[in-house]
Amino acid sequence: MERYKSQTLKIYNTLTGEKEVFTPIHEGNIGMYVCGPTVYSNVHLGNVRTFMSFDVIFRYLLHLDYKVRYVRNITDAGHLTDDGDVDNDRFVKQSRLEKLEPMEIVQKYTVDFHKVLDTFNFLPPTIEPTATGHILEQIELTQKLIEEGLAYESKGSVYFDVQAYNKKGLNYGELSNRNIHELFANTRDLDGQSEKKNPQDFALWKKASPAHIMRWNSPWGAGFPGWHLECTAMSTKYLGETFDIHGGGMDLKFPHHECEVAQAKGCFGHAPVKTWMHTNMLTMNGLRMSKSTGNYVLPMDLVEGNNTFFEKKFEPNIIRFCFLQAHYRSVLDISNEAMLASEKGYNRLVEAYKLIQSLPVSASSSLAIATWKQSCYDAMNDDFNTPILIAQLFEGVRYINLVNDKKETLSSEDIATLQETLQVFLSDILGINLESSGNNVNSNKLEGVIEMLIEMRNEARANKNWALSDEIRDRLAGLGIQLKDGKEGTGFSF
């Protein structure tokens, strides 16, 4: 029997504001679309957190024996920050800044995106389509919306008509729970948007200026697609006019996902998505991460230690473990203290896992391993609650220590179940790379020994025992470990 038939999965649906029992449209098969990166710059930690959440969701659905088609797009054209000004095309702006062709920018940062996700042990999506690879589909949807009376051409651009949409009895604002009348009352015409009928109308196709490099021919002249339409085109092409799950960061809920709902309903006459899922934001040291304020660090800077916020570099497993200790719908705040605490907890968990093989075997068990195993599933079945799951995994650590100390007993069968369950939830579902975990633990032990020697050297120097101080420094140097004395103390490098 498939595992999904023995588990009841509940998912929080943004559209209804409730946790709902998840039943796929087609039994045993799931279509999931997640809004991918706009590849005009390095992927940031907030993006990594969102994609990590959906990586875990993807992994768990696969573990439940569903056949999952996971589509995550690449936005490589048309991401305007302002529908009224084509000069706000992020690719064009970045290409000017770096003196590269726009598609060179796309290639550079797509490679960076994949490198970062590989570093954090992400599974690749089933399909990874690009906006530029689906221009024809976007033009066809735009033509369909014009035919339905829900879009209009203006000066070579085409806009979705929000008022016409609502006059058909539809509800622009239903996903983000916004009132259309308030939206119109609280907006004003912006410079450059006079070609729109209403300020809330959004671009389906934009006319390209003579200097605009990224351009394609269309029935309305040379131009490029608006941002919102690409996801409707790609999601419905690969998953059908109605599919199971659509995900992304909460910052995309309005207007991006709201526009997707309107476009799909306008084209197909029904809702495109059964369950909408949104991840919450990532903060650092209690503040919003922002380049402008300097409260900002890139994923690889955290891994390689190239930053001033964290006292050391952190192995990808540690960062992943830290991120998953917060529920995907909760704000996650990272700090030096949070990372150090996560490292300590992670090492405790991995060391306990490695201890299982040497546990004493008894004829019977005094611990209810089957009940504990189900509690792990219960956590994930409750809207993919990874922090509760991790708490249950630490309960498994407690069991291991109790048995190792001969305070409780486990049969060989239950020891095997305990080991398999920890392996499945740590590796297959949470995505922890257990093969590299031992190296991390050993590295931490080595660093601890070096710190102890530095303390001994500092004490020798304070006592003016220069001979011992120099001997410690020189012998570490002979092992390839360089000490660095500075105003803030002594550091080291390999």
Side-chain angles (χ1 to χ4, degrees):
M1 180 182 290
E2 299 92 337
R3 287 196 194 96
Y4 67 81
K5 290 183 177 178
S6 63
Q7 303 292 333
T8 301
L9 173 63
K10 289 187 176 181
I11 303 177
Y12 182 87
N13 188 350
T14 304
L15 185 63
T16 62
E18 296 179 353
K19 288 181 188 178
E20 300 171 345
V21 174
F22 177 74
T23 305
I25 297 168
H26 303 289
E27 184 179 357
N29 295 272
I30 294 173
M32 181 170 74
Y33 185 91
V34 174
C35 288
T38 301
V39 285
Y40 70 95
S41 64
N42 298 105
V43 62
H44 59 74
L45 270 176
N47 293 141
V48 171
R49 194 241 171 145
T50 291
F51 300 135
M52 188 180 294
S53 296
F54 287 103
D55 180 61
V56 170
I57 290 166
F58 180 39
R59 286 170 174 274
Y60 188 60
L61 295 175
L62 290 174
H63 173 71
L64 292 183
D65 291 331
Y66 284 109
K67 182 178 180 181
V68 185
R69 176 175 286 183
Y70 174 21
V71 182
R72 187 185 65 213
N73 72 301
I74 296 283
T75 296
D76 59 351
H79 194 151
L80 296 180
T81 56
D82 179 350
D83 278 347
D85 185 359
V86 295
D87 288 330
N88 278 326
D89 186 311
R90 295 182 175 188
F91 298 98
V92 173
K93 290 173 74 173
Q94 195 65 24
S95 68
R96 290 171 182 167
L97 193 65
E98 297 193 35
K99 295 182 173 57
L100 295 171
E101 290 287 330
M103 292 312 291
E104 288 182 290
I105 293 295
V106 166
Q107 179 66 11
K108 175 182 177 179
Y109 292 113
T110 300
V111 169
D112 170 75
F113 173 69
H114 288 143
K115 177 184 175 183
V116 170
L117 267 56
D118 286 345
T119 299
F120 289 100
N121 198 32
F122 281 57
L123 295 179
T126 316
I127 303 173
E128 192 173 51
T130 64
T132 56
H134 296 77
I135 298 295
L136 290 178
E137 289 86 348
Q138 294 175 77
I139 289 174
E140 289 173 359
L141 289 180
T142 301
Q143 291 175 311
K144 173 71 171 173
L145 289 168
I146 291 174
E147 292 169 4
E148 295 292 333
L150 294 173
Y152 57 91
E153 181 184 357
S154 178
K155 300 179 181 179
S157 295
V158 181
Y159 295 96
F160 186 93
D161 192 330
V162 172
Q163 280 197 339
Y165 177 78
N166 273 54
K167 284 179 181 177
K168 287 197 170 188
L170 301 169
N171 180 17
Y172 182 80
E174 62 181 302
L175 179 64
S176 56
N177 199 27
R178 301 188 182 209
N179 185 292
I180 186 64
H181 302 294
E182 292 178 2
L183 286 174
F184 278 104
N186 294 330
T187 55
R188 56 185 176 82
D189 286 318
L190 301 174
D191 293 339
Q193 291 195 344
S194 57
E195 63 190 39
K196 292 184 181 183
K197 288 183 181 179
N198 310 291
Q200 290 297 331
D201 295 349
F202 55 88
L204 300 171
W205 186 264
K206 287 295 293 184
K207 178 182 179 180
S209 67
H212 203 281
I213 301 171
M214 302 183 84
R215 55 199 294 137
W216 293 265
N217 292 326
S218 79
W220 316 284
F224 55 96
W227 173 31
H228 312 303
L229 193 59
E230 66 174 89
C231 288
T232 299
M234 289 185 277
S235 63
T236 56
K237 176 174 181 175
Y238 296 111
L239 299 176
E241 293 180 4
T242 304
F243 53 95
D244 296 291
I245 298 171
H246 193 316
M250 65 179 298
D251 57 313
L252 299 180
K253 184 164 51 174
F254 186 89
H256 184 53
H257 290 162
E258 196 71 71
C259 294
E260 282 191 60
V261 173
Q263 289 163 169
K265 280 191 170 182
C267 283
F268 309 123
H270 53 77
V273 178
K274 184 175 180 181
T275 303
W276 284 90
M277 300 181 68
H278 293 93
T279 61
N280 214 320
M281 66 187 299
L282 174 74
T283 60
M284 186 165 71
N285 297 317
L287 301 172
R288 182 176 178 270
M289 290 190 70
S290 169
K291 284 185 179 179
S292 60
T293 63
N295 192 54
Y296 184 81
V297 62
L298 288 170
M300 296 311 293
D301 291 338
L302 190 55
V303 172
E304 296 166 0
N306 299 325
N307 65 87
T308 58
F309 296 99
F310 299 88
E311 67 181 62
K312 57 182 287 187
K313 61 184 179 181
F314 291 96
E315 191 242 338
N317 273 343
I318 305 298
I319 300 169
R320 188 170 181 116
F321 186 70
C322 178
F323 280 19
L324 296 177
Q325 288 183 87
H327 189 261
Y328 76 87
R329 287 193 290 114
S330 301
V331 174
L332 168 64
D333 184 64
I334 60 169
S335 63
N336 187 64
E337 292 73 21
M339 289 302 303
L340 290 172
S342 292
E343 183 176 57
K344 184 177 179 181
Y346 171 80
N347 289 336
R348 179 171 157 243
L349 188 56
V350 170
E351 287 177 338
Y353 173 74
K354 293 180 181 299
L355 187 62
I356 296 176
Q357 294 179 342
S358 60
L359 290 180
V361 179
S362 300
S364 62
S365 299
S366 60
L367 296 167
I369 296 301
T371 301
W372 167 78
K373 177 180 178 179
Q374 185 58 48
S375 72
C376 293
Y377 280 101
D378 291 344
M380 288 301 291
N381 289 337
D382 184 16
D383 195 28
F384 310 101
N385 200 322
T386 56
I388 298 299
L389 169 62
I390 290 172
Q392 290 300 329
L393 297 182
F394 275 112
E395 181 69 0
V397 169
R398 190 176 73 86
Y399 287 180
I400 292 168
N401 292 329
L402 286 171
V403 174
N404 190 58
D405 293 338
K406 296 182 172 56
K407 295 179 180 178
E408 299 285 356
T409 61
L410 285 178
S411 66
S412 59
E413 182 180 353
D414 278 343
I415 288 175
T417 299
L418 177 62
Q419 183 175 30
E420 180 190 20
T421 303
L422 280 171
Q423 188 276 325
V424 164
F425 281 95
L426 275 172
S427 180
D428 298 355
I429 296 169
L430 294 184
I432 299 298
N433 186 356
L434 288 174
E435 292 181 3
S436 67
S437 296
N439 295 333
N440 177 68
V441 173
N442 292 334
S443 175
N444 287 328
K445 289 179 178 178
L446 175 59
E447 289 180 8
V449 172
I450 295 171
E451 293 288 356
M452 180 181 68
L453 290 171
I454 289 174
E455 290 177 10
M456 291 173 62
R457 179 171 175 263
N458 288 340
E459 186 177 347
R461 294 174 75 186
N463 294 329
K464 297 184 179 181
N465 187 347
W466 308 118
L468 178 57
S469 171
D470 291 345
E471 183 182 1
I472 293 173
R473 179 199 62 203
D474 294 343
R475 293 188 67 172
L476 285 173
L479 295 170
I481 302 166
Q482 303 296 324
L483 298 186
K484 299 177 182 179
D485 294 319
K487 293 181 179 179
E488 297 181 358
T490 301
F492 66 91
S493 62
F494 295 99

